[in-house]
Amino acid sequence: TYKIVYGTGTNCGSGQVTLVGPSAVSTAGQIFSYPNAFIVPAGNALCYVMGGTTPVYNYSYVEVQQ
């Protein structure tokens, strides 16, 4: 499973707010593709949080600070 959150501190550990999930991960294929999908408050980080016993995923994201 995975979820996308924002928050402060290490790994978005403080003040964590869930944006997506938790959701199951398929064995193949693209999970999602959203242009301009996640806008988080200033001073927060955007985090992809994986669950499970041996998660192995490839992912990429583009971050723009305005």
Side-chain angles (χ1 to χ4, degrees), residues 41-66:
N44 285 265
L46 181 66
C47 297
Y48 180 91
V49 180
M50 297 179 287
T53 55
T54 55
V56 178
Y57 309 119
N58 292 313
Y59 57 89
S60 63
Y61 73 97
V62 175
E63 180 178 330
V64 176
Q65 186 172 13
Q66 297 180 338

Side-chain angles (χ1 to χ4, degrees), residues 9-50:
T10 303
N11 299 324
C12 300
S14 300
Q16 193 175 90
V17 176
T18 300
L19 298 170
V20 173
S23 300
V25 177
S26 69
T27 57
Q30 182 172 312
I31 295 173
F32 60 84
S33 176
Y34 299 114
N36 303 319
F38 307 114
I39 300 172
V40 301
N44 285 265
L46 181 66
C47 297
Y48 180 91
V49 180
M50 297 179 287

